């Protein structure tokens, strides 16, 4: 029976094999490590992307709705700071509502450049945006945005570049990698450029832990789906029933860590390689770093940006920050 058919029966979504040889090597490398780790980028097969959409609507997961309300309430000021005829360079595929709010309001945008490594997802969301915003030149770029890249040349010369990075995805990067990513954003912002970024803020740990351990178990399914994907695409034999979702806030590192905990001692084969799991041993699947305003401002400063405007909700749960190249 082909994997395609099996997957349909299992999850109702027909996953396409999207993991390349480099991904397989990275996954095996992560499972050989102690503690075992898997990159959160591997969450997002079709089922994973759908589950994440569901997460953004959960009462406990305040991030997406809070960022959206901050954008809506402050869009006029954001538009005046960005100015006319800018080029909006989004690190990510731009499938979110937040991007549409910007494309709806920014003044005579010269171009919109979504940058994402997953070519298919990028192409689909860029085509949808180009159809909905025919007056904006949409120039998708399928590259790895953690390394410097050449920007496409729009028909209309932009007066400046504004890099956009919503959703607090900056939190997924370890502090040194987050620093390095801000330095790439500094390069791509170019002269007179700026950065508009969503940053989730440090807060009461129970509030954070609830956001990653929702009562309906959607986040648990999102986390476990990583194993389903390895079964589907790398011929692994994970028994999802023998792993448990766990998300904890590590105060000293200022981050939520998501883990898949082995419920018993077991052996799992992935791409023909065997991995032993002790009872209680886990795979860390995601880190979500949270920042204070001071901590993020210091990191932005080290990358060459000056934070010039911060918008927050009344409860100071989440921030959208505007940073100018110094
Ligand atoms: C999309 C990376 C911002 O870390 O909050 C949601 C992903 N993980 N629930 C986050 C996620 C668990 C999310 N980011």
């Amino acid at each position: 029976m082909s994997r395609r058919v099996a997957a349909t029966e299992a999850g109702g979504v027909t996953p396409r094999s999207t993991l390349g040889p480099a991904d397989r090597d990275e996954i095996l490398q992560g499972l050989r490590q102690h503690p075992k780790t898997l990159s959160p980028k591997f969450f997002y097969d079709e089922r994973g992307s759908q589950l994440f959409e569901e997460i953004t609507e959960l009462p406990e997961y305040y991030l997406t709705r809070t960022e959206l309300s901050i954008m809506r309430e402050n869009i006029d000021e954001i538009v005046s700071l960005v100015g006319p005829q800018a080029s909006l360079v989004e690190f990510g595929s731009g499938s979110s509502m937040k991007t549409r709010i910007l494309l709806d309001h920014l003044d005579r945008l010269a171009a919109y450049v979504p940058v994402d490594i997953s070519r298919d997802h990028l192409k689909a969301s860029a085509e949808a945006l180009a159809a909905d915003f025919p007056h904006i030149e949409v120039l998708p770029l399928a590259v790895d945005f953690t390394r410097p890249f050449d920007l496409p040349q729009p028909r209309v010369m932009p007066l400046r570049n504004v890099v956009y990075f919503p959703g607090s995805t900056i939190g997924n990067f370890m502090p040194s990698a987050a620093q390095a990513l801000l330095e790439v954003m500094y390069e791509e912002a170019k002269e007179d450029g700026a950065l508009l970024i969503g940053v989730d803020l440090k807060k009461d740990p129970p509030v954070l832990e609830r956001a990653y351990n929702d009562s309906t178990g959607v986040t648990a399914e999102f986390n476990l789906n990583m194993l389903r994907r390895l079964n589907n695409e790398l011929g692994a034999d994970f028994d999802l029933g023998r792993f448990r979702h766990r998300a904890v806030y590590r105060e000293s590192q200022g981050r939520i860590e998501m883990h898949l905990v082995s419920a018993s001692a077991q052996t799992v084969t992935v791409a023909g390689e065997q991995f032993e799991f002790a009872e209680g041993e886990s795979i860390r699947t995601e880190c979500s770093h949270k920042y204070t305003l001071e901590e993020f401002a210091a990191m932005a400063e080290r990358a060459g940006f000056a934070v010039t405007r911060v918008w927050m909700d009344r409860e100071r749960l989440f921030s959208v920050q505007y940073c100018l190249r110094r």
Side-chain angles (χ1 to χ4, degrees):
M1 184 195 302
S2 82
R3 188 179 305 139
R4 200 169 265 289
V5 176
T8 305
E9 266 133 18
V13 169
T14 314
R16 299 181 314 286
S17 176
T18 53
L19 292 177
D23 298 322
R24 186 199 57 229
D25 297 347
E26 184 180 339
I27 287 163
L28 294 174
Q29 185 52 33
L31 293 172
R32 290 181 195 125
Q33 279 175 19
H34 291 285
K36 292 179 170 68
T37 64
L38 286 171
S39 165
K41 70 183 176 189
F42 297 127
F43 281 136
Y44 302 96
D45 62 352
E46 267 172 72
R47 179 88 184 112
S49 301
Q50 269 176 351
L51 286 164
F52 178 63
E53 282 313 310
E54 288 175 39
I55 287 173
T56 63
E57 279 137 32
L58 293 170
E60 299 99 332
Y61 192 78
Y62 58 83
L63 290 81
T64 310
R65 77 173 66 82
T66 307
E67 184 174 22
L68 264 173
S69 67
I70 292 170
M71 295 284 288
R72 289 199 173 104
E73 278 161 32
N74 300 285
I75 192 64
D76 295 344
E77 191 184 353
I78 292 171
V79 167
S80 67
L81 283 169
V82 170
Q85 210 175 310
S87 174
L88 186 70
V89 180
E90 177 163 0
F91 279 43
S93 61
S95 53
S96 74
M97 265 313 292
K98 291 159 262 184
T99 305
R100 288 172 175 272
I101 292 173
L102 285 176
L103 298 186
D104 257 334
H105 291 84
L106 288 176
D107 177 10
R108 288 163 290 148
L109 204 56
Y112 170 62
V113 184
V115 186
D116 199 307
I117 198 159
S118 72
R119 189 176 293 279
D120 305 352
H121 191 52
L122 175 69
K123 191 164 170 294
S125 60
E127 278 163 7
L129 288 170
D132 295 348
F133 299 92
H135 57 291
I136 296 175
E137 189 176 10
V138 177
L139 300 165
L141 203 52
V143 296
D144 172 359
F145 59 55
T146 62
R147 281 184 252 285
F149 51 88
D150 295 331
L151 283 169
Q153 191 53 50
R155 284 191 298 273
V156 176
M157 175 59 91
L159 296 181
R160 59 205 305 252
N161 290 345
V162 175
V163 172
Y164 181 44
F165 199 43
S168 199
T169 301
I170 188 81
N172 273 165
F173 294 81
M174 292 301 171
S176 57
Q179 180 76 49
L181 184 61
L182 288 173
E183 284 159 12
V184 172
M185 291 172 173
Y186 178 87
E187 292 307 319
E188 303 304 338
K190 309 254 184 296
E191 204 63 36
D192 299 331
L195 165 65
L196 183 66
I197 186 166
V199 181
D200 193 21
L201 300 172
K202 281 187 176 162
K203 55 186 65 67
D204 207 16
V207 176
L208 285 169
E209 290 193 345
R210 274 197 296 278
Y212 294 85
N213 290 290
D214 61 278
S215 55
T216 42
V218 180
T219 309
E221 209 187 326
F222 171 72
N223 198 4
L224 284 161
N225 181 64
M226 171 97 82
L227 303 182
R228 179 182 289 115
R229 185 179 190 184
L230 300 193
N231 287 355
N232 289 339
E233 300 191 36
L234 294 183
D237 58 3
F238 282 100
D239 174 351
L240 273 63
R242 296 177 69 186
F243 285 86
R244 303 272 175 282
H245 163 75
R246 187 176 67 193
V248 287
Y249 184 63
R250 301 255 189 255
E251 192 100 31
S252 54
Q253 286 105 333
R255 68 187 185 209
I256 282 278
E257 288 187 8
M258 293 218 304
H259 290 257
L260 290 166
V261 184
S262 180
S264 58
Q266 57 183 310
T267 303
V268 176
T269 302
V270 181
E273 186 169 338
Q274 289 207 329
F275 297 94
E276 305 303 326
F277 287 83
E279 180 174 347
E281 181 182 353
S282 78
I283 307 169
R284 189 187 66 206
T285 53
E286 185 174 54
C287 291
S288 269
H289 293 81
K290 312 300 174 182
Y291 293 91
T292 63
L293 295 180
E294 297 71 24
E295 286 168 343
F296 183 77
M299 184 164 72
E301 191 75 26
R302 287 192 295 273
F305 285 113
V307 176
T308 55
R309 191 70 179 82
V310 175
W311 301 277
M312 289 181 283
D313 57 300
R314 259 173 294 290
E315 294 167 78
R316 301 171 71 96
L317 298 174
F318 197 93
S319 69
V320 174
Q321 309 202 20
Y322 187 75
C323 316
L324 274 179
R325 261 184 53 135
R326 272 191 299 105

